[in-house]
Amino acid sequence: MRIFIVGLFAILLWANPEIPQESELVEDLSRLDIPQEQTNHIVYLKNTTPESIINAPIYIGQKIPITYRAIFFQNASMNRSSFKEKIPSNELVLENPNQEWQEVAFDRSDFAEGDTQKIYEITYMFKVKASNLRIPAFEVSALSSDGFYTDSAISEAINLNATDLYQNKNYAGVVADELRLGVYKAKHYDDSNNLIAFELSALNANLEDFRLPSIEKQGIERSNFTTPNASAIFYAIVPRSIQGISFEYFSLRTNRFEQVRIPILLTIENVGAQENLRPKNTYLMYWTLFICGVMVTFFALSFFIRRWRKVFWLLGGITLCYLMYYLFYNQTAVLAENKHIWILPTHNSTLLETTSEPIMVKIIGEHDRYYKIMTPDDIIGWIRKEDVQ
């Protein structure tokens, strides 16, 4: 049988001289860049978040960092990384979705000589919104150095439980490592209320959720809610009978509620400053007087320059019509939601309130880029012209 096969192969070679010899086949195959089946992993992924964070009590509103470390072997490179599932918005808020991987320096003596590794880390900041939450599984894929092979590694999902702190009626909604009260100032607002403005700065906090309990009119004038250092200037309108306001935040360092008290000490100011606190239309008064002066000038000139009398009477009449329109015509407009009403028409004025929904306002004056308006609640203030429809 063996002799038959050898003879058949010899006949085929003689009949078809184009069939290559065995040595030629081997040489041709060696020229092809066909990778052998990969059996070794080229990426390793681990959740390296400290246990002091994972196992510690967690509270709604708290911001927690979750860190992943990826090791790439054999000159492999990052292909992609993502969470395996969509992050549930009712449980978590990913504060830094565009965070980038950072290469980590390491002691290469820990690895065998000739090994090629790269280590990267990424830290995502999550804000807790629910009592029961789940951080989805995280996956990293790597591409081999020759570009023919991909490998992936997965870090399992993280299930956590958080405590709701709003059972405390004096809780202001802030969880922080530290919260500090800065400068504060109180002024007379109207016959029934005072206006107080105060500065808060916090470390690793959800300062954007701050709200004074039991205070109806309050808001934010300026803010910087970046992590880890956040700060903001808040304001509140409180009854004149209140001598001070207090609130509590939850301290992660002491693991308990801490109280902050702000005394209401009215600033003693001269009459002019007190007039500025409640927006009076001083500008409009001077403008009205100016128009009256122009009108009187036109009528007076008509008696002294007789040949131009009709012209001056016409100009005086036009000025009078404009004055009547200016004094008695009130324009209305719609102020959009989330727009600010200021005490004065300046960029650094104290914030009066912020609209929670579109409201109809009466425009009773203007100055530069601002309208003076009156709200349906008879609140008088200034708004930017571009905020009305």
Side-chain angles (χ1 to χ4, degrees):
M1 185 67 179
R2 182 179 300 176
I3 297 174
F4 173 77
I5 294 175
V6 173
L8 180 61
F9 184 71
I11 295 173
L12 288 174
L13 288 177
W14 175 81
N16 190 359
E18 295 183 357
I19 295 179
Q21 299 297 321
E22 180 181 359
S23 59
E24 294 177 342
L25 287 173
V26 174
E27 183 178 355
D28 290 341
L29 287 175
S30 65
R31 295 194 190 103
L32 297 178
D33 192 9
I34 301 177
Q36 296 180 353
E37 182 181 0
Q38 294 277 0
T39 57
N40 296 327
H41 288 293
I42 58 175
V43 61
Y44 171 76
L45 178 66
K46 183 180 181 181
N47 179 357
T48 57
T49 307
E51 292 187 2
S52 58
I53 294 177
I54 296 296
N55 297 329
I58 297 175
Y59 306 93
I60 293 179
Q62 182 179 348
K63 296 181 180 181
I64 55 174
I66 301 297
T67 301
Y68 298 97
R69 172 174 290 187
I71 304 178
F72 298 89
F73 300 94
Q74 303 175 18
N75 285 325
S77 59
M78 174 80 69
N79 185 29
R80 63 177 179 83
S81 63
S82 63
F83 289 95
K84 295 285 288 181
E85 303 171 15
K86 184 178 179 180
I87 297 174
S89 58
N90 61 329
E91 299 178 7
L92 292 164
V93 175
L94 180 55
E95 298 276 305
N96 54 341
N98 299 320
Q99 183 71 11
E100 296 182 354
W101 289 87
Q102 302 294 326
E103 188 170 1
V104 179
F106 63 96
D107 187 359
R108 296 186 179 274
S109 62
D110 295 337
F111 296 91
E113 184 178 354
D115 284 351
T116 54
Q117 297 86 18
K118 290 184 179 179
I119 301 179
Y120 292 87
E121 278 190 353
I122 191 169
T123 299
Y124 288 110
M125 188 66 67
F126 291 94
K127 180 178 176 180
V128 178
K129 294 182 62 178
S131 298
N132 298 311
L133 57 136
R134 181 175 183 269
I135 299 175
F138 189 65
E139 181 181 23
V140 169
S141 68
L143 184 66
S144 62
S145 59
D146 55 16
F148 284 102
Y149 174 66
T150 59
D151 186 23
S152 63
I154 297 176
S155 178
E156 297 299 325
I158 306 172
N159 296 307
L160 300 171
N161 296 317
T163 302
D164 189 352
L165 300 171
Y166 279 93
Q167 296 178 358
N168 182 351
K169 301 301 181 182
N170 205 32
Y171 176 53
V174 175
V175 180
D177 285 345
E178 183 181 2
L179 187 143
R180 298 179 297 275
L181 173 65
V183 295
Y184 56 89
K185 190 175 185 180
K187 295 182 179 180
H188 173 71
Y189 175 67
D190 59 25
D191 294 337
S192 303
N193 301 285
N194 291 324
L195 174 67
I196 182 170
F198 53 95
E199 181 184 21
L200 294 177
S201 58
L203 179 64
N204 295 323
N206 57 324
L207 194 59
E208 66 275 9
D209 294 334
F210 176 86
R211 184 168 180 82
L212 288 169
S214 305
I215 301 296
E216 181 179 355
K217 294 183 178 180
Q218 58 180 296
I220 303 172
E221 184 166 358
R222 290 193 297 272
S223 62
N224 176 24
F225 293 137
T226 56
T227 304
N229 298 307
S231 61
I233 296 177
F234 299 88
Y235 74 90
I237 298 175
V238 298
R240 297 186 66 182
S241 59
I242 296 179
Q243 302 301 313
I245 56 177
S246 64
F247 63 88
E248 294 182 2
Y249 77 97
F250 192 85
S251 171
L252 295 172
R253 290 182 175 175
T254 62
N255 203 33
R256 67 183 184 186
F257 288 102
E258 300 288 348
Q259 187 181 71
V260 177
R261 179 172 176 80
I262 307 174
I264 298 179
L265 303 174
L266 294 180
T267 302
I268 300 177
E269 298 177 319
N270 56 37
V271 175
Q274 292 179 4
E275 287 296 316
N276 283 336
L277 183 58
R278 296 186 63 191
K280 304 296 183 181
N281 207 352
T282 305
Y283 166 79
L284 298 180
M285 180 183 68
Y286 286 122
W287 180 246
T288 303
L289 292 175
F290 173 75
I291 296 174
C292 290
V294 172
M295 181 184 65
V296 172
T297 301
F298 283 142
F299 285 125
L301 289 174
S302 67
F303 289 100
F304 294 100
I305 307 176
R306 293 182 180 272
R307 63 177 180 174
W308 295 96
R309 176 176 295 179
K310 291 184 179 180
V311 175
F312 287 127
W313 273 92
L314 177 62
L315 294 174
I318 294 175
T319 307
L320 178 61
C321 292
Y322 175 77
L323 179 63
M324 300 299 291
Y325 171 84
Y326 188 76
L327 291 177
F328 297 105
Y329 176 75
N330 289 321
Q331 181 183 358
T332 59
V334 176
L335 180 61
E337 63 178 331
N338 296 323
K339 300 301 181 182
H340 301 313
I341 302 176
W342 311 89
I343 285 185
L344 295 174
T346 59
H347 72 280
N348 58 352
S349 172
T350 300
L351 188 64
L352 193 58
E353 72 172 43
T354 302
T355 57
S356 58
E357 60 183 11
I359 60 173
M360 184 71 69
V361 296
K362 184 184 295 184
I363 298 176
I364 58 178
E366 65 178 291
H367 175 64
D368 196 16
R369 298 181 294 107
Y370 295 85
Y371 283 133
K372 183 180 182 183
I373 57 98
M374 178 181 291
T375 70
D377 299 330
D378 294 330
I379 294 176
I380 297 176
W382 295 86
I383 61 173
R384 293 186 176 93
K385 290 183 177 180
E386 62 266 22
D387 291 343
V388 296
Q389 302 172 359

